[in-house]
Amino acid sequence: MSRIRPLDMSRKQYQQMADTLCILTKRFFRAFDKDNDSYVSMREWIEGLSIFLRGTLDEKIKFCFEVFDLNGDGFISREEMFHMLKSSLIKQPTEEDPDEGVKDLVEIALKKMDYDHDNKVSYTDFEKAVKDENLLLEAFGPCLPDTKSALAFEEHAFKKSKDE
Protein backbone atom coordinates (compact mmCIF):
# COMPACT_ATOMS: atom_id res chain seq x y z
CA MET A 1 0.00 0.00 0.00
CA SER A 2 1.44 3.36 -1.00
CA ARG A 3 1.33 6.25 1.44
CA ILE A 4 0.61 9.83 0.51
CA ARG A 5 3.60 12.00 1.32
CA PRO A 6 2.97 15.66 2.17
CA LEU A 7 4.26 18.17 -0.33
CA ASP A 8 7.65 19.57 0.65
CA MET A 9 7.73 23.27 -0.04
CA SER A 10 10.19 26.00 0.87
CA ARG A 11 9.06 29.38 2.18
CA LYS A 12 10.00 30.92 -1.18
CA GLN A 13 7.96 28.34 -3.12
CA TYR A 14 5.01 28.84 -0.78
CA GLN A 15 5.21 32.62 -1.19
CA GLN A 16 5.33 32.29 -5.00
CA MET A 17 2.25 30.04 -4.93
CA ALA A 18 0.42 32.44 -2.58
CA ASP A 19 1.35 35.43 -4.78
CA THR A 20 -0.01 33.67 -7.86
CA LEU A 21 -3.23 32.75 -6.05
CA CYS A 22 -3.58 36.39 -5.00
CA ILE A 23 -3.10 37.54 -8.60
CA LEU A 24 -5.59 34.96 -9.89
CA THR A 25 -8.11 35.97 -7.22
CA LYS A 26 -7.82 39.58 -8.38
CA ARG A 27 -8.21 38.45 -12.00
CA PHE A 28 -11.33 36.41 -11.10
CA PHE A 29 -12.76 39.50 -9.44
CA ARG A 30 -12.01 41.59 -12.53
CA ALA A 31 -13.60 38.94 -14.76
CA PHE A 32 -16.81 39.24 -12.70
CA ASP A 33 -16.66 43.06 -12.34
CA LYS A 34 -17.70 43.87 -15.90
CA ASP A 35 -18.17 47.63 -15.40
CA ASN A 36 -14.80 48.00 -13.60
CA ASP A 37 -16.26 49.88 -10.64
CA SER A 38 -14.38 47.71 -8.10
CA TYR A 39 -17.70 46.30 -6.94
CA VAL A 40 -19.38 43.08 -8.02
CA SER A 41 -23.09 43.80 -8.16
CA MET A 42 -25.68 41.08 -7.69
CA ARG A 43 -26.26 41.07 -11.46
CA GLU A 44 -22.51 40.73 -12.19
CA TRP A 45 -22.23 37.96 -9.58
CA ILE A 46 -25.12 35.98 -11.08
CA GLU A 47 -23.93 36.47 -14.66
CA GLY A 48 -20.35 35.60 -13.71
CA LEU A 49 -21.41 32.53 -11.76
CA SER A 50 -23.60 31.44 -14.66
CA ILE A 51 -20.63 31.58 -17.04
CA PHE A 52 -18.32 30.01 -14.45
CA LEU A 53 -20.66 27.05 -13.84
CA ARG A 54 -22.61 26.56 -17.07
CA GLY A 55 -21.27 28.95 -19.69
CA THR A 56 -21.00 28.19 -23.36
CA LEU A 57 -17.57 27.44 -24.79
CA ASP A 58 -17.33 31.02 -26.13
CA GLU A 59 -18.20 32.47 -22.69
CA LYS A 60 -15.66 30.21 -20.98
CA ILE A 61 -12.96 31.14 -23.50
CA LYS A 62 -13.53 34.83 -22.76
CA PHE A 63 -13.58 34.23 -18.99
CA CYS A 64 -10.36 32.17 -18.96
CA PHE A 65 -8.59 34.65 -21.22
CA GLU A 66 -9.51 37.50 -18.86
CA VAL A 67 -8.15 35.49 -15.92
CA PHE A 68 -4.91 34.55 -17.70
CA ASP A 69 -4.25 38.09 -18.97
CA LEU A 70 -2.73 39.05 -15.62
CA ASN A 71 -2.03 42.70 -16.40
CA GLY A 72 -5.22 43.28 -18.42
CA ASP A 73 -3.46 44.50 -21.58
CA GLY A 74 -5.36 42.20 -23.95
CA PHE A 75 -2.51 39.69 -24.39
CA ILE A 76 -1.06 36.73 -22.54
CA SER A 77 2.65 37.44 -22.62
CA ARG A 78 5.58 35.08 -22.29
CA GLU A 79 6.16 36.42 -18.76
CA GLU A 80 2.53 35.88 -17.74
CA MET A 81 2.65 32.31 -19.07
CA PHE A 82 5.89 31.66 -17.20
CA HIS A 83 4.49 33.05 -13.94
CA MET A 84 1.27 30.99 -14.13
CA LEU A 85 2.94 27.76 -15.23
CA LYS A 86 5.73 28.03 -12.68
CA SER A 87 3.27 28.41 -9.84
CA SER A 88 1.05 25.55 -11.00
CA LEU A 89 3.78 22.93 -11.38
CA ILE A 90 5.23 20.91 -8.54
CA LYS A 91 9.01 20.87 -8.42
CA GLN A 92 10.45 17.37 -8.49
CA PRO A 93 13.33 16.71 -6.07
CA THR A 94 15.58 15.52 -8.90
CA GLU A 95 15.17 18.68 -10.97
CA GLU A 96 18.23 20.90 -10.99
CA ASP A 97 16.62 23.97 -12.58
CA PRO A 98 12.81 23.70 -12.82
CA ASP A 99 12.66 27.12 -14.53
CA GLU A 100 14.16 25.54 -17.66
CA GLY A 101 11.25 23.10 -17.87
CA VAL A 102 8.78 25.94 -17.42
CA LYS A 103 10.52 27.93 -20.16
CA ASP A 104 10.19 24.90 -22.44
CA LEU A 105 6.45 24.72 -21.67
CA VAL A 106 6.06 28.42 -22.47
CA GLU A 107 7.75 27.88 -25.84
CA ILE A 108 5.47 24.92 -26.58
CA ALA A 109 2.41 27.00 -25.63
CA LEU A 110 3.52 29.85 -27.87
CA LYS A 111 4.10 27.51 -30.82
CA LYS A 112 0.65 25.99 -30.31
CA MET A 113 -1.31 29.17 -29.61
CA ASP A 114 0.46 32.18 -31.16
CA TYR A 115 -1.07 32.11 -34.65
CA ASP A 116 0.14 35.57 -35.67
CA HIS A 117 3.70 34.91 -34.42
CA ASP A 118 4.05 38.08 -32.34
CA ASN A 119 5.38 36.20 -29.28
CA LYS A 120 2.23 36.73 -27.23
CA VAL A 121 -1.27 35.27 -27.26
CA SER A 122 -4.07 37.64 -28.21
CA TYR A 123 -7.74 36.84 -27.55
CA THR A 124 -8.09 35.83 -31.22
CA ASP A 125 -5.11 33.46 -30.90
CA PHE A 126 -6.48 31.99 -27.66
CA GLU A 127 -9.97 31.53 -29.08
CA LYS A 128 -8.69 29.77 -32.21
CA ALA A 129 -6.35 27.51 -30.22
CA VAL A 130 -9.10 26.48 -27.78
CA LYS A 131 -11.61 25.84 -30.56
CA ASP A 132 -9.01 23.65 -32.30
CA GLU A 133 -8.19 21.84 -29.03
CA ASN A 134 -10.59 22.33 -26.10
CA LEU A 135 -8.02 21.12 -23.55
CA LEU A 136 -6.11 24.38 -24.11
CA LEU A 137 -8.91 26.28 -22.34
CA GLU A 138 -6.97 25.85 -19.10
CA ALA A 139 -3.49 25.70 -20.61
CA PHE A 140 -1.99 27.99 -17.96
CA GLY A 141 -3.69 26.49 -14.93
CA PRO A 142 -7.15 25.61 -13.71
CA CYS A 143 -9.64 28.44 -13.78
CA LEU A 144 -12.97 26.65 -14.14
CA PRO A 145 -14.50 24.00 -11.88
CA ASP A 146 -14.76 20.45 -13.17
CA THR A 147 -18.28 19.19 -13.87
CA LYS A 148 -18.53 17.24 -10.61
CA SER A 149 -17.48 20.25 -8.50
CA ALA A 150 -19.83 22.59 -10.38
CA LEU A 151 -22.78 20.24 -9.85
CA ALA A 152 -21.92 19.81 -6.16
CA PHE A 153 -21.78 23.60 -5.74
CA GLU A 154 -25.12 24.06 -7.49
CA GLU A 155 -26.73 21.32 -5.43
CA HIS A 156 -25.50 22.90 -2.20
CA ALA A 157 -26.19 26.52 -3.16
CA PHE A 158 -29.64 25.97 -4.63
CA LYS A 159 -31.11 23.22 -2.47
CA LYS A 160 -34.47 24.00 -0.98
CA SER A 161 -34.71 24.35 2.73
CA LYS A 162 -37.00 22.01 4.66
CA ASP A 163 -39.23 24.98 5.49
CA GLU A 164 -40.20 25.55 1.84
Side-chain angles (χ1 to χ4, degrees), residues 17-62:
M17 181 185 70
D19 290 346
T20 299
L21 287 174
C22 183
I23 289 168
L24 287 176
T25 300
K26 289 176 186 173
R27 293 304 307 153
F28 268 76
F29 183 86
R30 286 190 206 149
F32 275 65
D33 181 21
K34 294 297 183 189
D35 61 5
N36 297 315
D37 65 353
S38 298
Y39 178 80
V40 175
S41 68
M42 181 61 74
R43 180 183 182 101
E44 289 169 324
W45 172 251
I46 291 169
E47 288 173 358
L49 203 55
S50 174
I51 291 167
F52 191 70
L53 295 172
R54 293 191 175 187
T56 65
L57 179 60
D58 287 334
E59 290 170 328
K60 288 179 179 183
I61 289 170
K62 187 173 186 336

Side-chain angles (χ1 to χ4, degrees), residues 3-112:
R3 292 176 28 151
I4 298 174
R5 200 178 110 205
L7 177 65
D8 294 328
M9 189 181 306
S10 71
R11 179 183 296 266
K12 182 179 177 183
Q13 290 169 317
Y14 179 82
Q15 187 61 51
Q16 288 172 335
M17 181 185 70
D19 290 346
T20 299
L21 287 174
C22 183
I23 289 168
L24 287 176
T25 300
K26 289 176 186 173
R27 293 304 307 153
F28 268 76
F29 183 86
R30 286 190 206 149
F32 275 65
D33 181 21
K34 294 297 183 189
D35 61 5
N36 297 315
D37 65 353
S38 298
Y39 178 80
V40 175
S41 68
M42 181 61 74
R43 180 183 182 101
E44 289 169 324
W45 172 251
I46 291 169
E47 288 173 358
L49 203 55
S50 174
I51 291 167
F52 191 70
L53 295 172
R54 293 191 175 187
T56 65
L57 179 60
D58 287 334
E59 290 170 328
K60 288 179 179 183
I61 289 170
K62 187 173 186 336
F63 180 84
C64 288
F65 184 84
E66 289 174 359
V67 170
F68 296 148
D69 177 16
L70 299 178
N71 65 5
D73 68 353
F75 297 96
I76 304 171
S77 70
R78 203 181 226 107
E79 293 77 25
E80 288 168 320
M81 288 179 212
F82 181 84
H83 189 68
M84 288 182 288
L85 289 170
K86 182 175 181 177
S87 65
S88 66
L89 298 174
I90 298 171
K91 181 182 181 267
Q92 299 300 315
T94 56
E95 287 184 89
E96 289 181 23
D97 185 8
D99 287 359
E100 287 306 313
V102 175
K103 288 176 186 173
D104 291 343
L105 287 173
V106 168
E107 293 308 315
I108 291 167
L110 276 171
K111 283 181 184 171
K112 185 78 176 163

Side-chain angles (χ1 to χ4, degrees), residues 107-120:
E107 293 308 315
I108 291 167
L110 276 171
K111 283 181 184 171
K112 185 78 176 163
M113 302 175 91
D114 181 18
Y115 288 95
D116 58 6
H117 307 291
D118 61 356
N119 289 312
K120 55 189 173 185

